Amino acid sequence: MTAPEAESIRTRTRTPRQPVWRGQGAVIAVVALGGALGAIARYALALWWPTASGAFPWATFWTNVVGCAVIGVFMVVITDVWAAHRLVRPFFGTGVLGGFTTFSTYAVDIQRLVDGGHPGTGLAYLAATLLAALTAVWLAMTASRRVLKWRQP
């Protein structure tokens, strides 16, 4: 004979859980696709505008600044204006802009400048990128909101 408590434990059924990949597979795919596109664009810009040894890495600087400005506009548009599809933010924000902007190249550029005997240029690059990128995001968001407010009846 079984105790009533044990009987209720045995009859509990688990609800089947959806595999993680099934729900997140599309997100991972669009991030990968967007990242590849953004990285190709960044690489093309670096080939088009090469940096001489010991010189200020303008291509990476402007890549990061422009990417941050686009992120600012994008975030305003998808939060204030447009109810975007669930894959737009992962594709464009995380993928394309994440692949286009680059913290790793920024860090390597600073290391190369310092190791190559140009610590002043490395420090200037470090500070200028940080200030310019943050300013670009703020200006882009502010300008986008003002344009949107101005366009409303």
Side-chain angles (χ1 to χ4, degrees):
M1 181 170 225
T2 311
E5 303 88 35
E7 194 64 35
S8 65
I9 292 173
R10 271 192 223 141
T11 59
R12 286 188 187 173
T13 58
R14 292 188 176 189
T15 55
R17 292 184 60 184
Q18 186 177 14
V20 174
W21 283 104
R22 185 167 210 170
Q24 297 299 318
V27 174
I28 293 167
V30 298
V31 169
L33 176 63
L37 294 173
I40 289 168
R42 175 174 37 91
Y43 181 68
L45 182 61
L47 290 177
W48 179 71
W49 195 354
T51 301
S53 179
F56 194 92
W58 288 107
T60 304
F61 175 82
W62 285 113
T63 297
N64 287 332
V65 172
V66 168
C68 286
V70 173
I71 287 169
V73 172
F74 178 65
M75 292 309 295
V76 168
V77 169
I78 66 169
T79 57
D80 296 356
V81 177
W82 179 40
H85 185 275
R86 73 178 189 94
L87 297 177
V88 170
R89 188 181 297 197
F91 171 74
F92 190 72
T94 305
V96 174
L97 294 175
F100 183 68
T101 58
T102 171
F103 183 77
S104 59
T105 303
Y106 167 65
V108 168
D109 286 344
I110 293 167
Q111 186 66 44
R112 285 185 183 157
L113 287 167
V114 171
D115 290 348
H118 305 283
T121 305
L123 185 59
Y125 175 53
L126 175 93
T129 299
L130 178 64
L131 291 173
L134 291 173
T135 302
V137 170
W138 180 79
L139 285 173
M141 290 180 75
T142 302
S144 297
R145 286 194 174 117
R146 285 188 181 168
V147 166
L148 291 170
K149 187 176 181 182
W150 173 73
R151 291 190 71 203
Q152 290 177 349

